[in-house]
Amino acid sequence: MLDREALLAETKKCIRCGLCQAVCPSYQAIRNEAAVARGRNRLLRELAEGNLTMSPRLKEDMFACLGCEACQASCPAGVKTPEIVAYMRSEYVAKDGLPFVQSAILRKVLPHPQRLKLAAKSFRLGQIAKIAGTVAKSLPQSLKGRYEVIPETLPEPLETELPKFAQDAKVAYYLSCTTNYLNPSLGRDTLKVLAASGHKAAICLDTVCCGKPQNSLGDQKTARQMAIHNIEVLSKLNVEAIVTDCATCGSALKEYPHWLKGHPLAEKAQEVAAKVYDIGEFLVKKGFVVGAKKKELTITYHDPCHLIHAQGVKDEPRTILKSLPGVNFVESADADRCCGGAGSFCLTHQEISERILEPKVEGILATNPDMVATGCPMCKIQLQYGLRKTKVQVMHPVELLARTYE
């Protein structure tokens, strides 16, 4: 991770060409120079040179970034703006701390599986008792709308029905928190597809949250602690690959060597990261089986930022979708443009998120699809919210592949 000197050197690489304006979702939404990589780099350079202070206004500009990494992917100078922003967020967290709710979730719940399980169970009981729904009715429409797209009653976590890690497994399936608690059927489909394609896989239940939410919101200390735990667990597994169906988790696992630079576990982190695959990436590279069940569907695809920009995975999900019997795959306009979900961004920056989501939904609907596929749980929730008044469904490519076996 960048230190202050490296940050200043990195900001000086910006040639102010403005190409970031064309790809930055927040800039497209609010047309504010401080919301684009070029503007943020200038602000941080002025800060590093002592011409600015760590003001509330600068903090607001830093936390209005979605972290989609589109700017870095399109930058001819290769400026690491996402990392610069992450560094500044960590500086603000060190200075001001985290808001109470974020601190409770990021530090007290997500790093501790038993607490997370208890929190999910409590929320489920609140749903059953109609308490959660009653509270949701008093929320702003955007928050209420996103509440309505999650399961009416949370299902039992996937982990509750799984045995301990099979020692003869050659593939470790890294289970994301969202798949485990909100969409366990995706986890079952992932295991089903791996098995049908001849890959002996099992889930390791000793890992914790990947740490990406913490790192993205400036709590790099907690993120490193979680990365250390996961590296200690995953490095002991005698497997050839580690796969995940969550774009965010995959990007985090691949970034662990960078997070742990200078740490005694940095080498092991590198070894683990070299084995990490997005499920679509793994299946296309190692082989997958398509079932015979045919269903006539028009499907388009949304590229999660943590998949296309952070991991460079673009063609593989499309390869899977195009292989499905009966499927008419149609590319949507700006398929690689952020949907505005970005973890908790859609909750903390509702207006910007809505502005980003609107053209995304328009591009999807222009393909007249039955379904839109995506490989990120947060993108799925965001798109379900945006498409809630239509009949268009949102599914993971692996779920659609698993349906061909039935």
Side-chain angles (χ1 to χ4, degrees), residues 7-277:
L7 179 149
L8 177 58
E10 198 66 23
T11 61
K12 289 181 178 179
K13 288 167 58 178
C14 177
I15 59 176
R16 299 187 59 76
C17 65
L19 286 178
C20 50
Q21 289 184 335
V23 298
C24 176
S26 54
Y27 177 79
Q28 292 295 319
I30 60 178
R31 299 289 176 174
N32 182 351
E33 182 71 10
V36 74
R38 181 175 71 174
R40 288 193 175 104
N41 278 306
R42 180 58 185 269
L43 289 172
L44 294 177
R45 181 177 174 181
E46 295 294 332
L47 175 68
E49 293 177 345
N51 300 321
L52 288 178
T53 61
M54 290 179 62
S55 65
R57 174 58 191 274
L58 182 60
K59 180 179 182 179
E60 181 180 327
D61 291 331
M62 293 305 106
F63 280 85
C65 172
L66 290 98
C68 71
E69 302 189 25
C71 55
Q72 184 172 328
S74 67
C75 180
V79 182
K80 300 176 181 177
T81 303
E83 195 172 339
I84 295 171
V85 171
Y87 173 86
M88 282 310 306
R89 287 179 172 180
S90 69
E91 290 285 282
Y92 271 107
V93 168
K95 173 177 173 285
D96 301 334
L98 285 167
F100 175 76
V101 174
Q102 284 187 358
S103 178
I105 295 173
L106 299 181
R107 294 174 174 171
K108 304 300 183 183
V109 177
L110 287 179
H112 308 281
Q114 293 304 317
R115 296 179 188 174
L116 180 56
K117 187 182 300 184
L118 178 62
K121 185 176 181 179
S122 299
F123 183 78
R124 184 171 185 268
L125 292 174
Q127 288 179 306
I128 294 172
K130 308 298 183 184
I131 298 173
T134 301
V135 172
K137 290 179 181 178
S138 63
L139 296 174
Q141 179 56 44
S142 61
L143 298 184
K144 178 185 175 184
R146 288 175 178 83
Y147 171 80
E148 290 173 348
V149 302
I150 67 173
E152 186 175 345
T153 301
L154 290 188
E156 288 293 329
L158 179 61
E159 63 182 7
T160 60
E161 60 187 68
L162 298 170
K164 288 188 176 181
F165 189 83
Q167 293 304 313
D168 62 338
K170 296 302 180 183
V171 177
Y173 169 38
Y174 181 87
L175 180 62
S176 78
C177 301
T178 313
T179 298
N180 188 25
Y181 292 104
L182 291 184
N183 192 16
S185 62
L186 170 58
R188 296 188 199 99
D189 285 340
T190 296
L191 291 172
K192 181 191 297 184
V193 168
L194 288 168
S197 302
H199 307 294
K200 178 69 175 178
I203 297 180
C204 178
L205 299 176
D206 297 326
T207 54
V208 297
C209 168
C210 66
K212 191 72 170 185
Q214 291 80 359
N215 189 67
S216 298
L217 291 172
D219 189 4
Q220 294 183 349
K221 179 181 178 180
T222 302
R224 279 170 59 91
Q225 291 171 346
M226 297 164 80
I228 290 168
H229 174 90
N230 286 336
I231 291 300
E232 288 175 339
V233 171
L234 295 172
S235 63
K236 294 175 183 177
L237 302 180
N238 184 27
V239 294
E240 298 170 357
I242 300 166
V243 302
T244 180
D245 51 38
C246 173
T248 299
C249 291
S251 67
L253 294 171
K254 291 179 180 180
E255 290 171 9
Y256 280 178
H258 189 56
W259 293 10
L260 299 181
K261 187 176 181 180
H263 190 276
L265 284 176
E267 186 174 344
K268 285 190 178 296
Q270 190 66 55
E271 293 171 359
V272 168
K275 296 180 179 181
V276 175
Y277 294 86

